[in-house]
Amino acid sequence: FEVYGAPVMSNRGKLKGIVIVLHDITELKKLEQVRTDFVANVSHELKTPVTSIKGFTETLLDGAMNSEPLRENFLNIIAKESERLQALIEELLELSRIEQSYFKLHWQNTDLNNILLEVYDLLKEKAAKKNISLKLEREGDTRLEGDPSRLKQIVINLVNNAIMYTSDGGHVSVVLKENGESVELAVIDTGVGIKESELPRIFERFYRVDRARSRNSGGTGLGLAIVKHLVEAHSGQINVESEMDKGTTFLLKFKKQQQNETE
Ligand code: ADP
């Protein structure tokens, strides 16, 4: 609590009483904490690849350059860490853009099934490399009001995660269904699963259940935070169900028509 006090005087200057204002600043403190944590997280995430790039560059300059295998190995690491850094910066900028109040969707009548087909083309090779079967199913009229590029971003993130967190030989299916005034999308995988206690946190910025696994697969920990924002910007809902070592299902629900379109 923040406490303010002030005396109340009578017309003749005598003390009549004291007014005390108690201001509950729990929410404010929480927001401040979230901001501080975020800055700490960003700094840490940026520092890790930079430290690695710096270290390997110095080792090369100190003589490792003369050894052909070392040179190749170190340069590959530097290239990979630079890519990571770039992905991180791009996702941070994206998140910050989406969180700005002037962020607007470009509403269009969109068939979610077409978006699924595009995402399938983008990710089929990645799935094939891991021998993961990637299947699409569709039922009913799957057109809705939405921003096609943002809807695509949502689906790419979810399917990419499904492939990333599923072992070789597993299955990923994307099921699209008309349901009354809504269109529902399920991204189902037979992957590693997420513990129940972790589920509520996975949409937080930088939250990763297995930091090493996520890092190795090029994950930034920002994907689901971006997805959640974009789904909510569409007045949609996103839920997740998961069982350890069995798999995970992300369920999304979008209204076909928006009530208050901004554009
Ligand atoms: P990342 O870049 O690490 O994938 P995300 O924000 O996309 O970040 O996801 C946050 C965390 O949620 C991941 O690090 C992972 O631990 C978990 N996760 C997301 N999708 C899945 C999935 N399909 N199966 C298992 N775990 C998942």
Side-chain angles (χ1 to χ4, degrees):
F1 284 98
E2 247 172 25
V3 184
Y4 303 97
V8 181
M9 313 299 266
S10 72
N11 289 345
R12 274 175 274 150
K14 270 180 80 182
L15 183 68
K16 270 172 74 181
I18 294 173
V19 176
I20 293 177
V21 180
L22 298 177
H23 190 197
D24 183 353
I25 53 166
T26 326
E27 271 310 305
L28 218 64
K29 282 268 175 233
K30 245 192 250 165
L31 273 179
E32 235 172 67
Q33 189 60 42
V34 168
R35 218 179 355 245
T36 319
D37 288 352
F38 181 64
V39 174
N41 276 330
V42 171
S43 315
H44 176 79
E45 295 290 334
L46 293 175
K47 210 173 150 189
T48 317
V50 171
T51 306
S52 167
I53 291 168
K54 189 162 173 268
F56 283 105
T57 313
E58 280 168 6
T59 317
L60 280 170
L61 291 173
D62 278 350
M65 195 108 96
N66 301 326
S67 147
E68 169 86 43
L70 278 187
R71 189 167 64 213
E72 174 138 10
N73 189 5
F74 289 0
L75 284 174
N76 275 324
I77 299 175
I78 291 171
K80 200 171 162 210
E81 293 295 313
S82 316
E83 256 168 45
R84 215 188 123 57
L85 204 53
Q86 192 179 20
L88 195 62
I89 291 167
E90 271 164 18
E91 293 217 330
L92 273 171
L93 286 174
E94 178 68 6
L95 192 63
S96 121
R97 263 195 300 267
I98 293 172
E99 285 180 347
Q100 304 284 336
S101 48
Y102 58 76
F103 168 72
K104 292 256 182 340
L105 295 177
H106 301 286
W107 298 101
Q108 269 177 45
N109 197 306
T110 311
D111 190 342
L112 207 48
N113 193 54
N114 291 339
I115 289 175
L116 251 52
L117 293 172
E118 287 174 27
V119 175
Y120 179 85
D121 270 342
L122 270 177
L123 294 176
K124 62 178 187 228
E125 261 166 55
K126 187 169 180 168
K129 268 195 197 141
K130 289 182 77 179
N131 204 14
I132 289 174
S133 72
L134 180 58
K135 290 209 177 98
L136 304 184
E137 278 176 46
R138 175 213 202 169
E139 202 183 294
D141 182 0
T142 50
R143 283 173 301 173
L144 51 81
E145 294 283 330
D147 182 330
S149 69
R150 297 313 191 169
L151 290 167
K152 186 168 171 185
Q153 206 179 348
I154 294 171
V155 183
I156 290 177
N157 263 301
L158 293 174
V159 177
N160 195 37
N161 274 352
I163 297 171
M164 187 147 94
Y165 298 106
T166 296
S167 322
D168 290 22
H171 307 279
V172 172
S173 26
V174 188
V175 182
L176 191 57
K177 251 193 251 173
E178 175 184 20
N179 185 357
E181 289 310 300
S182 305
V183 176
E184 290 175 355
L185 173 79
V187 180
I188 308 161
D189 68 52
T190 59
V192 293
I194 305 164
K195 256 197 265 165
E196 209 181 329
S197 57
E198 313 263 13
L199 279 181
R201 303 205 55 192
I202 58 168
F203 295 102
E204 287 173 21
R205 299 182 282 199
F206 290 120
Y207 192 78
R208 289 174 296 192
V209 178
D210 183 341
R211 190 163 281 262
R213 181 195 289 265
S214 160
R215 262 185 66 85
N216 285 338
S217 334
T220 58
L222 293 174
L224 286 181
I226 292 175
V227 164
K228 187 152 201 254
H229 270 293
L230 292 177
V231 171
E232 283 170 358
H234 281 88
S235 319
Q237 291 163 19
I238 179 162
N239 287 299
V240 54
E241 289 166 4
S242 189
E243 203 177 327
M244 285 302 282
D245 300 322
K246 289 262 162 59
T248 305
T249 299
F250 282 88
L251 288 161
L252 287 77
K253 194 170 178 175
F254 296 102
K255 287 184 208 146
K256 285 185 191 167
Q257 301 287 336
Q258 297 286 327
Q259 256 109 46
N260 300 309
E261 283 181 29
T262 43
E263 258 179 51

